[in-house]
Amino acid sequence: MGGSAVDGKTAVSSDAVREESSRRKQMLIRALIYIAGTHLFAGFVILLFAVGGRH
């Protein structure tokens, strides 16, 4: 019985580690999407200034 309690604790610990790893991965993906979107928007604004400055 003592061994199964330890195994149960280990399973809970590994689930917590897996959940944290999954959350970190989701956060990195979200950050990359936000960074890419911001750069695209900034590029569009620069393009507008470039086109507007030619006239």
Side-chain angles (χ1 to χ4, degrees), residues 3-52:
S4 95
V6 171
D7 292 341
K9 186 176 182 182
T10 303
V12 170
S13 176
S14 67
D15 286 344
V17 169
R18 191 177 312 125
E19 183 178 335
E20 182 178 344
S21 174
S22 175
R23 283 187 177 178
R24 180 169 292 162
K25 184 177 179 181
Q26 291 172 353
M27 181 191 66
L28 288 174
I29 291 170
R30 189 177 305 130
L32 287 174
I33 290 170
Y34 287 162
I35 290 169
T38 302
H39 280 84
L40 286 173
F41 178 73
F44 178 69
V45 170
I46 290 171
L47 178 66
L48 288 178
F49 277 108
V51 170

